[in-house]
């Protein structure tokens, strides 16, 4: 019985020590995180509709919510927009910032043109940066999931001015308006002719 009680006591001691070690590691990690720059990045497109051969504006905002400055910040989104599927119209898919002070933010934008249609997976951008000690840290932007890219034909069908439809509408309405006008004009001319003859008589 004494041996069993000693074993229980030893096991309880080991369990308590393990719990204290885990708690210490968590607290150490939390303190270390507070002493480092912490970057949160958002990635979004500013278009209401994404279509083939139409400009697509991507916007990135990077916030430093840590207590230290983030140095040598590099935003890279080249993996999200392959060269065979997108053309860069203005700006670049990567950007560098010398530093982002604690509590501040920076932004970046690039204008692209989709070359194909269909579903596209907007994967997160990669953000690399260094803390004041020179250690390299990595984080990722927000995730946009799959979004449809409309084909040119589908985009024109949904968003064109519908000139053809208007021309057909005008063509159908013209006889309805023109025939009564011609009848009125004919009767009015006959009336004026009779009135002129009556005055001469």
């Amino acid at each position: 019985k004494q041996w069993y009680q000693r074993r229980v006591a030893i096991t309880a001691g080991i369990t308590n020590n393990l719990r204290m070690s885990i708690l210490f590691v968590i607290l150490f990690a939390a303190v270390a995180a507070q002493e480092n720059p912490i970057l949160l990045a958002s990635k979004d497109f500013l278009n209401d509709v994404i279509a083939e051969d139409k400009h697509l504006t991507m916007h990135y905002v990077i916030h430093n919510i840590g207590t230290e400055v983030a140095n040598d910040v590099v935003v890279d989104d080249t993996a999200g927009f392959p060269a065979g599927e997108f053309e860069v119209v203005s700006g670049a898919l990567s950007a560098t910032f010398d530093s982002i002070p604690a509590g501040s933010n920076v932004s970046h934008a690039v204008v692209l043109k989709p070359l194909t249609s269909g579903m596209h997976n907007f994967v997160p951008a990669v953000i690399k940066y260094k803390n004041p000690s020179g250690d390299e840290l990595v984080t990722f932007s927000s995730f946009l999931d799959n979004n449809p890219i409309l084909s040119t034909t589908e985009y024109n069908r949904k968003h064109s001015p519908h000139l053809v439809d208007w021309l057909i509408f005008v063509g159908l309405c013209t006889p309805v308006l023109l025939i009564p006008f011609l009848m009125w004009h004919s009767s009015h001319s006959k009336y004026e002719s009779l009135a002129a003859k009556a005055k001469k008589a």
Side-chain angles (χ1 to χ4, degrees):
K1 186 175 180 179
Q2 291 180 350
W3 174 83
Y4 176 75
Q5 289 176 344
R6 249 193 330 270
R7 182 177 179 182
V8 170
I10 293 173
T11 304
I14 293 174
T15 303
N16 289 333
N17 290 335
L18 182 60
R19 288 176 180 173
M20 290 298 295
S21 299
I22 294 174
L23 180 61
F24 175 78
V25 171
I26 293 174
L27 290 174
F28 178 79
V31 171
Q34 290 180 353
E35 294 177 351
N36 272 322
I38 302 174
L39 298 187
L40 293 181
S42 65
K43 168 184 174 179
D44 202 2
F45 45 80
L46 303 183
N47 302 60
D48 293 329
V49 178
I50 305 174
E52 181 183 8
D53 290 330
K54 301 294 181 182
H55 287 182
L56 167 63
T57 302
M58 300 301 304
H59 188 240
Y60 309 83
V61 180
I62 301 94
H63 302 265
N64 184 357
I65 64 170
T67 58
E68 297 290 341
V69 61
N71 297 315
D72 300 330
V73 181
V74 178
V75 181
D76 187 1
D77 205 14
T78 53
F81 300 97
E85 299 178 17
F86 292 87
E87 176 186 337
V88 177
V89 178
S90 177
L93 286 170
S94 61
T96 58
F97 303 93
D98 293 335
S99 64
I100 304 177
S104 64
N105 64 79
V106 295
S107 62
H108 174 67
V110 57
V111 180
L112 306 165
K113 183 170 71 174
L115 303 178
T116 59
S117 60
M119 297 299 296
H120 180 72
N121 187 16
F122 288 83
V123 299
V126 181
I127 297 93
K128 296 181 180 180
Y129 59 103
K130 294 179 180 179
N131 61 16
S133 301
D135 301 321
E136 186 173 83
L137 305 171
V138 180
T139 188
F140 300 89
S141 72
S142 55
F143 183 62
L144 295 177
D145 207 354
N146 291 332
N147 282 271
I149 300 175
L150 301 182
S151 65
T152 303
T153 303
E154 188 176 5
Y155 177 85
N156 291 336
R157 179 170 56 82
K158 291 183 177 181
H159 301 278
S160 68
H162 301 288
L163 294 178
V164 176
D165 296 339
W166 278 108
L167 289 174
I168 294 173
F169 175 77
V170 171
L172 293 174
C173 290
T174 299
V176 177
L177 299 175
L178 185 60
I179 292 173
F181 172 77
L182 292 176
M183 292 177 64
W184 172 83
H185 182 71
S186 177
S187 62
H188 182 68
S189 298
K190 288 180 181 179
Y191 173 79
E192 286 185 342
S193 177
L194 291 174
K197 289 180 181 180
K199 286 182 180 180
K200 289 179 181 180

